[in-house]
């Protein structure tokens, strides 16, 4: 059985923008990244959909990649989302990530036309061949419009040696076990659907890819710790507290919700980039109440004190 290069809580930072100009704010990006490492994240994964990577210019993407990896400074593993509409663009990003010292890369089939099996194989094979980094296939039918079933995932991995990991975000918990069994344990599976985090761990997921640690890191870490040691009562109790928040941030879009939460905590990362818009006032107030409950601290909006949450 393959030993996964990543495990545990894999934290997804948003991409920070200057409020006044809308340009990438690399100083804020570095602070958020450092917060995630200091809070105990087992890995950091920039430039996924949470990081609004599809809306970044290539020079911006490169700068965020470099800044994040430099800030992490090999304290924990890094997983860089290198997806692009074209194979050429994905290869370019993969090489940039490798040059800056990424531990692994993640590839979502980010498409307009639905890809055939042959096109998927050629795309993933070409990206995998561009570096010698381990590669994570990212299945997120809700954002990509392509649903890669376990049989398809395993067939791709058999043809691409460094495709060793799968992030499964369909919300179908049965797929975690199916991928592991079909691949005879050679593929490590990671959960990307926040509401099923505990079920995923119980079904053999090696890690949880989540933006939740941007706002409440200790709750995410405690859920993983309880699941890992088999403390079902504690894991169930933690999930019961955390689930309304997890459901909320997914339902309202991670960049919107996480950036609103950071603003409430006095750790602003700017507005989402259009066409995304900030979280509306009513929903922001709902988020404030959830965060105050989870952290035990009153929040004062942009002028309030920063907080990384408390031990769950």
């Amino acid at each position: 059985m393959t030993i996964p290069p990543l495990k545990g809580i894999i934290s997804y930072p948003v991409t920070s923008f200057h409020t006044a100009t809308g340009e990438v704010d690399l100083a804020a990006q570095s602070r958020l990244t450092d917060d995630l490492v200091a809070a105990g994240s087992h890995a950091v994964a920039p430039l996924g959909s949470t990081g609004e990577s599809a809306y970044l210019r290539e020079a911006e993407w490169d700068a965020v990649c470099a800044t994040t990896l430099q800030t992490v400074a090999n304290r924990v593993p890094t997983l860089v989302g290198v997806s692009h509409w074209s194979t050429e663009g994905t290869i370019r990003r993969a090489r940039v990530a490798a040059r800056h010292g990424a531990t692994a890369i993640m590839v979502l089939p980010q498409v307009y036309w639905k890809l055939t099996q042959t096109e998927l194989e050629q795309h993933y094979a070409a990206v995998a061949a561009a570096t010698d980094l381990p590669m994570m296939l990212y299945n997120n039918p809700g954002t990509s419009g392509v649903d890669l079933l376990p049989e398809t995932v395993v067939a791709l991995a058999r043809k691409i040696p460094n495709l060793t990991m799968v992030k499964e975000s369909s919300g179908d918990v049965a797929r975690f076990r199916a991928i592991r069994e079909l691949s005879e344990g050679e593929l490590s599976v990671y959960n990307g659907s926040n509401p099923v985090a505990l079920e995923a761990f119980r079904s053999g997921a090696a890690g949880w890819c989540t933006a939740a640690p941007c706002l409440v890191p200790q709750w995410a870490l405690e859920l993983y710790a309880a699941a890992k040691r088999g403390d079902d009562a504690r894991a169930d109790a933690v999930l019961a507290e955390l689930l309304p928040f997890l459901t909320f941030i997914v339902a309202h879009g991670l960049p919107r919700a996480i950036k609103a939460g950071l603003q409430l905590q006095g750790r602003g990362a700017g507005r989402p980039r259009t066409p995304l818009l900030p979280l509306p006032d009513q929903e922001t107030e709902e988020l404030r109440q959830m965060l105050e409950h989870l952290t035990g601290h009153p929040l004062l909006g942009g002028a309030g004190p920063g907080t990384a949450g408390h031990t769950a």
Side-chain angles (χ1 to χ4, degrees):
M1 182 174 293
T2 302
I3 299 174
L6 305 167
K7 62 180 180 180
I9 299 301
I10 302 165
S11 298
Y12 277 59
V14 294
T15 292
S16 300
F17 299 116
H18 287 284
T19 301
T21 65
E23 297 301 307
V24 169
D25 186 342
L26 295 178
Q29 192 71 35
S30 183
R31 288 192 296 270
L32 176 58
T33 300
D34 194 59
D35 286 347
L36 290 172
V37 177
S41 300
H42 301 114
V44 173
L47 296 164
S49 50
T50 298
E52 301 176 70
S53 59
Y55 304 140
L56 297 178
R57 298 184 289 273
E58 290 303 284
E60 293 177 324
W61 190 98
D62 292 0
V64 171
C65 178
T67 296
T68 304
L69 298 189
Q70 289 165 9
T71 302
V72 172
N74 294 316
R75 289 176 289 171
V76 296
T78 50
L79 172 69
V80 178
V82 300
S83 304
H84 187 274
W85 298 107
S86 70
T87 300
E88 179 184 18
T90 308
I91 287 172
R92 194 203 70 81
R93 290 180 171 186
R95 288 174 172 159
V96 171
R99 188 164 65 246
H100 288 294
T103 305
I105 56 174
M106 180 178 68
V107 183
L108 175 78
Q110 193 168 279
V111 299
Y112 179 82
W113 295 106
K114 185 175 181 180
L115 300 181
T116 66
Q117 180 72 18
T118 300
E119 289 167 340
L120 282 168
E121 289 176 5
Q122 291 188 1
H123 178 67
Y124 275 99
V127 176
T131 78
D132 53 7
L133 294 177
M135 183 166 66
M136 178 184 287
L137 180 151
Y138 180 15
N139 183 45
N140 189 345
T143 57
S144 72
V146 178
D147 189 8
L148 301 175
L149 299 176
E151 294 79 5
T152 301
V153 169
V154 173
L156 285 170
R158 285 176 176 153
K159 297 180 178 182
I160 304 170
N162 52 333
L163 200 172
T164 60
M165 300 172 287
V166 180
K167 178 184 173 186
E168 174 52 59
S169 295
S170 69
D172 181 356
V173 178
R175 295 191 185 190
F176 296 100
R177 185 167 284 112
I179 290 169
R180 292 173 63 239
E181 290 177 352
L182 287 170
S183 70
E184 299 179 335
E186 291 301 309
L187 279 174
S188 301
V189 190
Y190 300 79
N191 174 47
S193 178
N194 282 318
V196 302
L198 183 53
E199 293 177 80
F201 282 131
R202 288 171 173 166
S203 298
W208 175 20
C209 301
T210 175
C214 291
L215 301 176
V216 288
Q218 295 306 323
W219 285 93
L221 290 163
E222 177 62 16
L223 184 66
Y224 171 68
K228 185 178 180 181
R229 66 177 180 262
D231 187 344
D232 289 344
R234 179 58 180 158
D236 287 338
V238 171
L239 182 64
E241 291 288 330
L242 194 54
L243 189 57
F245 167 78
L246 296 177
T247 302
F248 179 94
I249 62 175
V250 172
H252 293 284
L254 293 171
R256 298 185 197 94
I258 297 300
K259 287 189 171 182
L262 289 170
Q263 184 69 24
L264 288 169
Q265 292 182 340
R267 303 159 61 217
R271 297 161 58 97
R273 180 164 279 180
T274 55
L276 300 179
L277 295 174
L279 196 68
D281 290 347
Q282 180 176 337
E283 286 78 3
T284 299
E285 181 58 30
E286 291 178 42
L287 180 59
R288 178 201 299 272
Q289 294 173 18
M290 290 181 193
L291 290 175
E292 289 182 343
H293 171 73
L294 290 170
T295 66
H297 299 297
L299 299 177
L300 303 176
T307 175
H310 72 138
T311 302

